[in-house]
Amino acid sequence: MLVIDNKSTNPYFNLAFEEYILKKVNTDAFMLWINEPAIIVGKNQNTLAQINLEYVKEHNIPVVRRLSGGGAVFHDLGNLNFTFISDNSKDSFVNFGKFTKPIIEVLKNLSIDAQLSGRNDLTIDGRKFSGNAQYIYKDKILHHGTLLFKTNVSKLSSALKVEPSKFKDKGVKSVSSRVTNISEHIKDPMDIQEFKDMILEHILANYDATPYNLSHEDISNIEGLVNEKYGTWEWNFGHSPKYNFRKHGRFKGGSIEIHLNVEKGIIQDIKIYGDFFGKKDIKELEAALAGVKHSFIDIKSVLVSFNIQDFFANITLDEILNLFF
């Protein structure tokens, strides 16, 4: 088994890096990596329904879709991620214990009683510090998980807080849990790099493992995958399942309610209702927005081409724009 200490903190690169190793390297692998603040959504999720878009924009937080299913997670520099890639033997898929065992062993060496709880979580005293997910590719399995070491829990909550009544879809929903940081349970304080090194040393000493460094060719290929897939709106937002969106707002110029049908991230149908006043027929604006990406930039580019006061008297462009998210 190859052991890779990935030192990149770029979430687009790191998610592409996982896929590259899964599909291009013909041997088992174990990887440790850390992302700068980012939201990582499950493959089958509606991205906009999982994130607090206003908070994400304000703090310039990357949002990246991963290969595996499950719920959305918040990463920061206090969160350590681990990945196993191996042959998909009969007892591998959804056998989370097989892949979380080395992590539990390391924590027991630190006198921490960690447990595999429920389907895919690791807990300490009933509080979650690790969520795990899996993905099958041909005859291989990718298992990855988070390890909350010293993450900012308040930012985690703020980034993933969203109003569920706005969306009606069949995308997988995230489930909130009581969480804890591993660092709170360590008797002799250490930083995340020391914890990371401890896991690497444990794997190398107790498993049939060999260190591996990415080559220049590896890095170039991974960066190509970022440009083609992981850094694109189409993968991170457009890949979302079909959904309906509704939002209501009340302003000085009257009330407005937006209804959208969205498929592959594109607005298929739109209806705008309310008791607002306007000189022009709202159908003109609806027609212009049909076929547009359900993204802030794309919708704004359409709206700015109109005099919004012609459709919504005494209501501003920003007020209208915020109704779409």
Side-chain angles (χ1 to χ4, degrees):
M1 178 172 66
L2 302 180
V3 175
I4 305 171
D5 179 8
N6 175 21
K7 294 181 171 59
S8 166
T9 59
N10 182 311
Y12 302 108
F13 180 92
N14 290 341
L15 271 294
F17 159 78
E18 277 194 315
E19 180 173 338
Y20 174 76
I21 297 297
L22 173 68
K23 295 182 177 180
K24 301 299 182 182
V25 177
N26 296 317
T27 187
D28 291 356
F30 173 75
M31 301 170 278
L32 285 174
W33 44 288
I34 297 172
N35 277 338
E36 63 190 40
I39 295 174
I40 311 301
V41 298
K43 182 180 181 181
N44 304 312
Q45 291 193 295
N46 172 5
T47 301
L48 286 174
Q50 301 304 316
I51 67 175
N52 179 345
L53 185 62
E54 184 176 341
Y55 185 90
V56 166
K57 288 194 301 179
E58 181 183 349
H59 294 85
N60 198 29
I61 299 174
V63 179
V64 194
R65 188 181 300 279
R66 64 178 184 268
L67 286 174
S68 63
V73 291
F74 176 76
H75 289 181
D76 65 9
L77 296 175
N79 173 76
L80 180 62
N81 303 284
F82 69 97
T83 305
F84 280 100
I85 293 171
S86 71
D87 289 336
N88 182 28
S89 58
K90 293 181 180 179
D91 66 342
S92 290
F93 188 57
V94 300
N95 181 358
F96 291 92
K98 174 181 178 179
F99 298 104
T100 56
K101 180 174 178 284
I103 304 301
I104 291 176
E105 289 171 347
V106 171
L107 292 173
K108 288 193 181 301
N109 290 338
L110 291 169
S111 300
I112 297 174
D113 184 21
Q115 306 285 337
L116 177 61
S117 175
R119 181 182 61 161
N120 61 335
D121 294 339
L122 294 179
T123 61
I124 300 171
D125 297 332
R127 297 166 67 193
K128 176 178 174 178
F129 70 88
S130 173
N132 292 260
Q134 296 181 338
Y135 174 76
I136 298 293
Y137 173 73
K138 295 183 178 180
D139 58 350
K140 300 175 74 176
I141 184 168
L142 180 152
H143 176 110
H144 52 191
T146 56
L147 295 170
L148 301 182
F149 185 80
K150 199 171 184 178
T151 199
N152 189 320
V153 176
S154 63
K155 287 186 177 180
L156 182 157
S157 176
S158 297
L160 296 177
K161 185 178 180 180
V162 68
E163 174 52 59
S165 65
K166 293 190 296 185
F167 293 90
K168 184 178 180 181
D169 61 40
K170 295 183 179 180
V172 175
K173 302 297 186 289
S174 296
V175 178
S176 61
S177 306
R178 291 176 65 239
V179 299
T180 188
N181 276 307
I182 294 169
S183 60
E184 298 172 16
H185 305 272
I186 296 176
K187 294 177 182 178
D188 298 318
M190 65 172 60
D191 61 29
I192 193 168
Q193 185 59 52
E194 291 172 310
F195 181 63
K196 185 181 184 185
D197 291 341
M198 181 175 287
I199 295 175
L200 288 170
E201 290 167 6
H202 181 80
I203 295 291
L204 289 168
N206 295 280
Y207 295 84
D208 185 14
T210 304
Y212 178 79
N213 294 316
L214 294 177
S215 67
H216 291 301
E217 182 181 0
D218 290 332
I219 293 171
S220 177
N221 288 332
I222 294 168
E223 289 174 344
L225 193 53
V226 171
N227 294 332
E228 297 166 8
K229 182 174 182 178
Y230 286 92
T232 68
W233 179 93
E234 284 74 17
W235 172 249
N236 296 320
F237 289 87
H239 191 75
S240 296
K242 181 167 60 175
Y243 60 89
N244 299 324
F245 173 92
R246 177 183 64 83
K247 190 173 180 182
H248 174 271
R250 188 174 297 278
F251 311 102
K252 179 181 177 182
S255 64
I256 302 173
E257 190 167 297
I258 304 284
H259 289 253
L260 305 176
N261 292 325
V262 182
E263 187 170 357
K264 295 182 179 178
I266 306 296
I267 298 171
Q268 302 297 323
D269 301 294
I270 173 172
K271 289 298 295 181
I272 302 174
Y273 303 100
D275 60 4
F276 54 90
F277 294 102
K279 293 185 292 185
K280 292 189 174 182
D281 193 330
I282 198 63
K283 290 182 179 180
E284 182 182 346
L285 197 60
E286 291 172 340
L289 289 163
V292 173
K293 292 178 182 177
H294 190 192
S295 81
F296 188 88
I297 293 174
D298 290 86
I299 291 175
K300 183 176 182 179
S301 69
V302 172
L303 294 181
V304 296
S305 67
F306 291 89
N307 180 358
I308 287 298
Q309 292 299 307
D310 287 342
F311 301 92
F312 307 103
N314 295 316
I315 302 176
T316 68
L317 172 63
D318 286 341
E319 288 172 331
I320 299 299
L321 186 56
N322 287 331
L323 282 178
F324 283 84
F325 303 96

